[in-house]
Amino acid sequence: MSVDETARAALESRADGVPAAELAAQFLEFRRWTGSNPLLLVAEAAAAATGQGFLDGIKPAVERFRDAFVATGRIASFSDLAALEREDDDLVAALGARRKRDVCCEIAAVLADSPTDDDLKALVDWAETADHYRHESDPIGSIAGVGLGTVQYLRQLAGVDTPRPDPPLETLLSAVDDDLERSPIDTATARRTIASCEWLAVVSGYRRLEIDRIAWWRATEPAERERIADVHVARVDRDR
């Protein structure tokens, strides 16, 4: 078999039993627990900026943020969020670490300057045009505390078919590489990890986000996957 055929077979063997298309669609179609609320999407990316887990760190932080600011109507736009004092008691209680608070408010400040008055469109427009290979020069990527992983996660949350360079993806790509006599797969840096995922997507026919979700699925315990799935299902059922 050619390198492409071998790579495709190596990925398919690891995708067996993984609902990759559905997992990707949850992001692409805003069918996750935060829906399409742009304030919550930014808050989730900010809550993830320090590497906490979803169930024990990100979700509780976003819930506190939602309850304190969105549900109460205290903030209704990126402009409102950008104007919050970083030491605001409710913001501290919701997000905790100063880095998360700074990231949340500063991302909102960038997006508030968008020419559109629709916050979701402002987020999506940025996400669709951001260049992950030059993220340091991006207005959001250049924010202190925002690494390439955060940029990519926020783009995923905004419905873009793109991978996040994290350990599960590196592990999956390295496993595929091990099955090949030669390949361009390289996970030495975050950019190379993204490029490797993009190459694998081309030769395998899987979306980049599907490969990302296959990696996440394989790295996550079944019980945790079920708990996370219940979070998203509960939100969809609630909104019906």
Side-chain angles (χ1 to χ4, degrees):
M1 289 192 294
S2 69
V3 172
D4 289 5
E5 291 170 332
T6 306
R8 185 182 306 115
L11 179 60
E12 287 177 344
S13 69
R14 292 170 172 86
D16 186 40
V18 181
E22 170 58 23
L23 293 171
Q26 290 176 356
F27 282 87
L28 299 171
E29 300 170 7
F30 297 102
R31 290 195 281 110
R32 297 177 66 261
W33 75 299
T34 42
S36 59
N37 186 307
L39 295 170
L40 298 184
L41 297 173
V42 167
E44 181 168 351
T50 56
Q52 284 189 303
F54 178 78
L55 291 171
D56 60 357
I58 297 170
K59 178 177 176 287
V62 178
E63 288 175 331
R64 292 191 296 266
F65 177 88
R66 178 197 62 202
D67 293 346
F69 295 105
V70 179
T72 62
R74 185 176 170 193
I75 63 171
S77 68
F78 283 144
S79 294
D80 294 341
L81 177 53
L84 282 179
E85 293 291 336
R86 304 299 193 271
E87 301 303 325
D88 179 277
D89 288 344
D90 288 337
L91 189 62
V92 173
L95 297 182
R98 176 64 187 248
R99 175 178 173 180
K100 297 178 187 177
R101 288 176 273 140
D102 285 344
V103 166
C104 190
C105 295
E106 290 181 32
I107 289 176
V110 169
L111 296 173
D113 283 340
S114 170
T116 179
D117 59 2
D118 181 323
D119 280 352
L120 180 61
K121 186 176 188 305
L123 174 58
V124 171
D125 286 349
W126 165 80
E128 290 179 342
T129 58
D131 184 352
H132 46 264
Y133 291 113
R134 296 177 178 82
H135 82 280
E136 296 98 333
S137 61
D138 182 88
I140 289 178
S142 61
I143 294 171
V146 175
L148 182 52
T150 301
V151 167
Q152 289 299 93
Y153 190 44
L154 182 56
R155 294 180 72 214
Q156 289 179 337
L157 293 172
V160 174
D161 177 21
T162 196
R164 178 166 54 154
D166 59 9
L169 182 59
E170 292 170 9
T171 298
L172 176 64
L173 292 171
S174 295
V176 171
D177 184 50
D178 288 343
D179 286 356
L180 309 177
E181 290 186 6
R182 56 185 176 84
S183 85
I185 291 176
D186 183 347
T187 60
T189 68
R191 285 190 179 90
R192 291 178 183 180
T193 297
I194 292 173
S196 297
C197 181
E198 291 174 339
W199 171 80
L200 186 56
V202 170
V203 302
S204 69
Y206 283 81
R207 287 180 177 270
R208 288 161 286 185
L209 191 50
E210 288 175 349
I211 296 173
D212 178 283
R213 294 296 84 195
I214 293 167
W216 170 80
W217 181 275
R218 291 179 59 83
T220 306
E221 292 294 330
E224 183 175 355
R225 293 199 303 256
E226 290 179 9
R227 290 174 62 198
I228 292 173
D230 287 345
V231 170
H232 301 314
V233 169
R235 176 259 164 186
V236 172
D237 288 345
R238 185 178 64 246
D239 290 350
R240 282 177 177 166

